[in-house]
Amino acid sequence: IRAIKESTNGKIWFGHSGGISYIDGGKIINLYESDGLISHDVWSLETDFKGNTWVGTIDGVSVFDGKKITTFELPKGEIDTTVGVSSTTFIHNIMADRKGRIWFSTNGGVYIKENNKLKEISKKDGLKSNFVSKVIETQNDEFMISTSKGLYLHNGDALIDISNKLFKEPKATSNIVEAANGDIWFNCSRSIFRLSNNELTEHKIL
């Protein structure tokens, strides 16, 4: 099980190495490639306000609208040779923001779906790496982007390299969350960091 999400109608979804599953009235319903998934190798899930379930796999994105599964096309990225599992179509994370936009964390940067338009945030915009593991929306309506070469803050049209202020050299970050008090927690190497009021605290994993 790599991802768990609750949809707006209360269904609990699971993404795993054999497709996706959800609990409906005490029953478990399974969906596979034979049902339309682009791949059974699922790594991320998100549900939007319209009731769609977005499925991120090693081979791209599928969307389930409650009746049928379709493929959502994204540009291909690169293969990350520093990790054991990678592809040009790897979808690490999917996030629906408060405005209904869908953010895809990929091996080609960040792609943002707004209505029928697709916007890209990548090296050409200031990222040091196109290998993006996760994007979160903060309480300040800003976005934190976690990459293989550090953290970035996206506020409107500006992209700020947060790691450049925190570390002497770029460090790979992966998971990232915001606490209720606004603190940002993220993992980096074998440590967990807390960023609170621009002060960084390290918690080493022994």
Side-chain angles (χ1 to χ4, degrees):
I1 305 295
R2 299 190 181 113
I4 303 174
K5 283 287 180 178
E6 181 181 8
S7 61
T8 53
N9 59 9
K11 292 179 181 177
I12 306 299
W13 288 83
F14 304 90
H16 45 80
S17 57
I20 57 175
S21 306
Y22 65 92
I23 299 175
D24 186 12
K27 296 181 180 180
I28 296 179
I29 310 299
N30 301 304
L31 299 172
Y32 310 101
E33 288 181 3
S34 58
D35 296 299
L37 283 180
I38 194 170
S39 170
H40 64 266
D41 197 359
V42 177
W43 289 78
S44 55
L45 285 174
E46 180 63 299
T47 57
D48 63 24
F49 300 126
K50 296 179 180 179
N52 298 311
T53 299
W54 296 81
V55 186
T57 80
I58 196 171
D59 290 324
V61 181
S62 293
V63 190
F64 180 54
D65 64 2
K67 296 181 179 179
K68 64 179 180 178
I69 300 175
T70 56
T71 297
F72 182 76
E73 297 289 343
L74 287 175
K76 290 185 177 180
E78 312 164 61
I79 292 178
D80 187 351
T81 58
T82 66
V83 297
V85 179
S86 186
S87 76
T88 59
T89 51
F90 205 119
I91 309 300
H92 298 277
N93 189 259
I94 305 175
M95 188 269 296
D97 69 17
R98 298 184 188 98
K99 294 182 178 179
R101 297 173 296 188
I102 309 297
W103 297 61
F104 303 94
S105 300
T106 80
N107 281 355
V110 179
Y111 290 96
I112 308 162
K113 178 187 179 299
E114 185 173 12
N115 298 319
N116 295 321
K117 295 182 179 179
L118 197 64
K119 179 182 177 181
E120 174 187 351
I121 302 175
S122 61
K123 283 183 178 179
K124 66 179 179 59
D125 302 294
L127 294 181
K128 288 188 174 72
S129 169
N130 281 337
F131 300 132
V132 179
S133 55
K134 190 173 184 179
V135 179
I136 65 168
E137 183 176 16
T138 71
Q139 298 171 31
N140 296 326
D141 296 323
E142 298 174 329
F143 298 90
M144 297 288 292
I145 302 173
S146 178
T147 79
S148 66
K149 291 188 178 179
L151 286 174
Y152 295 81
L153 178 68
H154 179 66
N155 54 359
D157 296 324
L159 187 65
I160 303 169
D161 187 347
I162 300 297
S163 293
N164 190 45
K165 301 177 181 180
L166 303 177
F167 304 109
K168 294 180 180 180
E169 58 184 26
K171 291 181 178 288
T173 59
S174 182
N175 203 7
I176 176 172
V177 297
E178 182 185 27
N181 64 356
D183 289 353
I184 301 294
W185 292 78
F186 62 94
N187 67 309
C188 178
S189 186
R190 290 191 58 80
S191 293
I192 295 174
F193 292 88
R194 181 186 67 178
L195 183 61
S196 178
N197 296 320
N198 295 319
E199 182 177 338
L200 189 67
T201 304
E202 181 179 6
H203 303 270
K204 291 186 177 181
I205 302 174
L206 302 177

